[in-house]
Amino acid sequence: MGITTDIVIVLLAALLGGIVARRLGQPLVLGYILAGVLIGPYTGGVTVTDVHNIELLAEIGVALLLFGLGLEFSLGELAPVRRVALLGTPLQMLLTIAVGYGLGQAMGFGWKESVWLGAMVSLSSTMVILKTLANQGWLGTLSSRVMIGMLVVQDLAVVPLILMLPTLDDPLVGLPALGVAVLKATGFLAAMLFGGARLLPFLMARVARWRSRELFLLTSTAVALGVGYATYLVGLSFAFGAFVAGLVLAESDHGHQALGEIAPLRDLFGLVFFVSVGMLLEPRFLLEHLGSVLLLVAGVGLGKGLIFAGIVRVFGYGNVIPLAVGFGLFQVGEFAFVLAQVGVKSGSISPALYSLVLSVAVVSMALTPLLSGQTARLYAVFRRRFPGEPLQNVFLPKGGLTEHVIIVGAGRTGLHVAAVLARAERPFVLIELDQRSFEEARAAGLSAIYGDAAHPVVLAAAGLAEASLLLITVPSPLVVTEVVRQARLLRPKLHVTARTSDPSLAAQLAALGGVRVVQPELEAALELTRQALLHLGADHTLIRKAAHDLRLELAPKPPGE
């Protein structure tokens, strides 16, 4: 059955790998990569017959993921990080190329191969970091926007690298081709921002009027892949075109609907990408050159992480952001595969360097969720040792705060709560780590502190010792757990109300005592039930009793009950 059999093998292997990763408490990405190793061409047993076809499907996954990214992050949201993205990223790439060159020379490669090595390891993985950020609940934070802005510029830089690296013997030969590529990229961006910004929203609006979800999904997918293919035809990245299409549609009235419709398709093809990454890894080569691979992973990871953290800090980002960016973008990305293939075909690099780079890329991708997940823990240690970093705050009372409410999160929920407390003339302070949300709170004249509420210095600045209540409005289970844990250490008897959609986390928080859990889905169900009973003419007493009984029945219970 050819490719049909291969797709079935990929999906079944990914399912088993995902189940194993879930049971072991590891990110699903690691399970998918492991599944790819097991069904790849180097391990025997059940094997995919045509790896190239799976790689082509994986390209669709990358394009759809970047299309979704463009829909979620509008041009206005990326604007605050444009300086570090446009200026900091080229500097990061040059410094990383220098580090890679030094490592290549130390490992015995020639100067040309060392430059190729530096260029390949200078690129990070958009696919891996987006999936990692989504799983950790960090998408939408300032840290994630800095990472995404830098990743976008890296993806753009792939085109000039592909043109310039094969011409190292005679650099002047590649300059005309590079100039043509720059003109193409400029023309495409101009066409999309001026022409596409009018045509694509108009097209989506016309399709939406027909009220066919199937046709709307088809149109969204066709826009993503069609624009991506157009960029491919003019010599640019297929995935980059899909990203620009998402940015354009994000400014329209149908961006959110397009994102909702395409999300399952995006996740399915994204799964294929991670399996295809695992299929590239040759276990035999990895075992025979384990020392070299681990040495290069350590050298690149450490050097690249420090470069990212240092550049982000130089551009004025403090607190947890340099650490988060360093631990997030240290890996070698999927575009290194593209550069490696170009290098082999042009005879610029040896098959040994090609296999080495692939092994380093796959290993570093697999390590990303594990190391990135340690960011909060390591930052907590840092803040305990170096507590002097100033915190940005606005509109705090001169006399300090007392008997006030601490609201963690200045998103929509947090701002609504703050607005009600302000009308009731109750003292409160917001804690927000996302710069854009912090600026919105400042524009509204609300008392706010910029920082991570999971760290004692930030909680102390918010007056935890004198607070009457701690409200946690952020949806991320990781953030909720860390904030509650830290607040319990600093002030065990403080009453805490936390928001979570995770039933298991709700039960754990309920077991702590003094922590009230609000589950948005449960509260929505209760309100919908109340509205239905009112419409049906039920007695108000019956409605209140029904809501009370349902809340008791569905309320989180401590483990063991």
Side-chain angles (χ1 to χ4, degrees):
M1 293 175 67
I3 190 173
T4 303
T5 303
D6 288 345
I7 292 175
V8 171
I9 291 173
V10 167
L11 294 179
L12 290 177
L15 174 61
L16 293 176
I19 292 173
V20 171
R22 186 71 175 178
R23 292 297 299 270
L24 296 176
Q26 300 301 316
L28 294 179
V29 171
L30 295 183
Y32 298 154
I33 293 176
L34 177 61
V37 174
L38 295 178
I39 64 173
Y42 307 109
T43 53
V46 178
T47 304
V48 169
T49 57
D50 194 333
V51 175
H52 180 64
N53 284 336
I54 301 301
E55 290 175 346
L56 293 178
L57 291 175
E59 287 187 31
I60 296 177
V62 176
L64 290 178
L65 183 89
L66 289 181
F67 177 65
L69 173 65
L71 289 171
E72 291 184 275
F73 293 90
S74 67
L75 291 171
E77 289 179 320
L78 290 174
V81 300
R82 61 183 179 275
R83 286 185 66 251
V84 69
L86 296 176
L87 300 178
T89 306
L91 178 59
Q92 169 267 316
M93 293 186 68
L94 288 174
L95 292 174
T96 307
I97 289 174
V99 170
Y101 178 84
L103 291 171
Q105 291 286 283
M107 298 177 71
F109 292 108
W111 73 269
K112 293 179 188 176
E113 286 193 311
S114 297
V115 173
W116 274 87
L117 175 62
M120 289 184 285
V121 302
S122 70
L123 303 169
S124 301
S125 174
T126 302
M127 192 75 171
V128 169
I129 196 59
L130 287 181
K131 195 69 174 178
T132 300
L133 290 171
N135 291 341
Q136 294 174 350
W138 286 95
L139 276 177
T141 65
L142 183 58
S143 299
S144 71
R145 280 205 286 274
V146 170
M147 292 187 222
I148 290 165
M150 299 185 83
L151 286 168
V152 168
V153 176
Q154 280 190 358
D155 291 347
L156 283 172
V158 171
V159 176
L161 285 176
I162 290 175
L163 294 172
M164 294 180 65
L165 287 173
T167 62
L168 285 177
D169 288 330
D170 189 1
L172 293 179
V173 174
L175 291 179
L178 179 60
V180 172
V182 171
L183 290 176
K184 287 180 179 179
T186 304
F188 168 74
L189 287 173
M192 285 299 298
L193 294 178
F194 294 101
R198 293 172 174 80
L199 176 61
L200 295 184
F202 172 77
L203 174 64
M204 300 302 292
R206 291 298 299 268
V207 173
R209 289 175 190 168
W210 293 329
R211 297 182 180 180
S212 170
R213 292 187 63 179
E214 182 178 350
L215 193 57
F216 192 88
L217 170 62
L218 180 59
T219 306
S220 302
T221 308
V223 166
L225 301 183
V227 174
Y229 186 64
T231 60
Y232 170 77
L233 291 178
V234 298
L236 300 174
S237 166
F238 178 62
F240 172 69
F243 173 74
V244 175
L247 281 179
V248 170
L249 280 182
E251 307 301 324
S252 72
D253 295 331
H254 300 89
H256 293 294
Q257 180 65 19
L259 178 62
E261 295 291 345
I262 208 169
L265 192 64
R266 174 197 64 186
D267 293 340
L268 183 62
F269 277 97
L271 170 157
V272 176
F273 166 79
F274 287 106
V275 174
S276 71
V277 167
M279 291 166 59
L280 294 172
L281 184 64
E282 185 177 355
R284 185 175 180 180
F285 177 89
L286 180 61
L287 292 175
E288 291 176 353
H289 301 84
L290 185 60
S292 299
V293 171
L294 293 180
L295 177 65
L296 198 52
V297 168
V300 170
L302 181 61
K304 198 172 176 182
L306 290 174
I307 289 170
F308 268 113
I311 288 176
V312 169
R313 191 69 185 90
V314 166
F315 276 82
Y317 296 92
N319 294 304
V320 75
I321 297 174
L323 195 63
V325 174
F327 273 89
L329 300 182
F330 74 91
Q331 78 287 131
V332 179
E334 55 272 3
F335 279 115
F337 306 153
V338 178
L339 280 181
Q341 290 172 352
V342 172
V344 169
K345 290 178 182 177
S346 65
S348 301
I349 65 174
S350 63
L353 180 57
Y354 175 84
S355 298
L356 181 63
V357 170
L358 291 190
S359 299
V360 169
V362 173
V363 171
S364 64
M365 285 181 183
L367 289 175
T368 298
L370 298 176
L371 294 182
S372 180
Q374 305 305 311
T375 300
R377 186 174 290 106
L378 291 174
Y379 184 63
V381 174
F382 172 81
R383 291 311 297 255
R384 284 196 293 269
R385 292 177 63 88
F386 304 99
E389 187 174 356
L391 293 169
Q392 186 179 0
N393 59 75
V394 292
F395 303 120
L396 294 185
K398 292 184 179 180
L401 295 160
T402 181
E403 292 298 315
H404 59 289
V405 178
I406 298 176
I407 306 171
V408 177
R412 285 177 295 180
T413 303
L415 290 179
H416 289 328
V417 174
V420 173
L421 291 176
R423 292 192 191 101
E425 298 183 349
R426 300 288 183 179
F428 67 89
V429 62
L430 288 154
I431 299 177
E432 179 54 62
L433 184 59
D434 178 67
Q435 184 67 29
R436 185 165 180 266
S437 297
F438 176 76
E439 290 173 356
E440 289 179 358
R442 177 170 59 187
L446 303 175
S447 299
I449 291 175
Y450 176 82
D452 187 347
H455 303 301
V457 173
V458 178
L459 290 174
L464 185 74
E466 294 80 24
S468 62
L469 175 64
L470 175 65
L471 287 178
I472 306 174
T473 67
V474 293
S476 169
L478 173 66
V479 175
V480 172
T481 303
E482 288 298 314
V483 173
V484 171
R485 184 182 66 82
Q486 194 59 247
R488 275 283 179 264
L489 289 174
L490 297 173
R491 195 169 166 202
K493 296 189 181 298
L494 177 66
H495 186 79
V496 178
T497 299
R499 163 191 173 182
T500 181
S501 298
D502 187 343
S504 61
L505 177 59
Q508 294 174 17
L509 295 176
L512 296 175
V515 179
R516 182 174 180 181
V517 179
V518 175
Q519 299 181 83
E521 291 81 3
L522 173 59
E523 298 304 320
L526 290 172
E527 178 60 20
L528 289 171
T529 302
R530 189 182 73 84
Q531 294 286 350
L533 291 174
L534 282 174
H535 179 75
L536 295 172
D539 181 71
H540 286 273
T541 303
L542 173 64
I543 294 174
R544 285 195 296 271
K545 184 177 185 308
H548 176 73
D549 291 344
L550 184 60
R551 180 176 276 109
L552 286 179
E553 179 183 345
L554 299 179
K557 298 175 178 58
E561 290 190 10

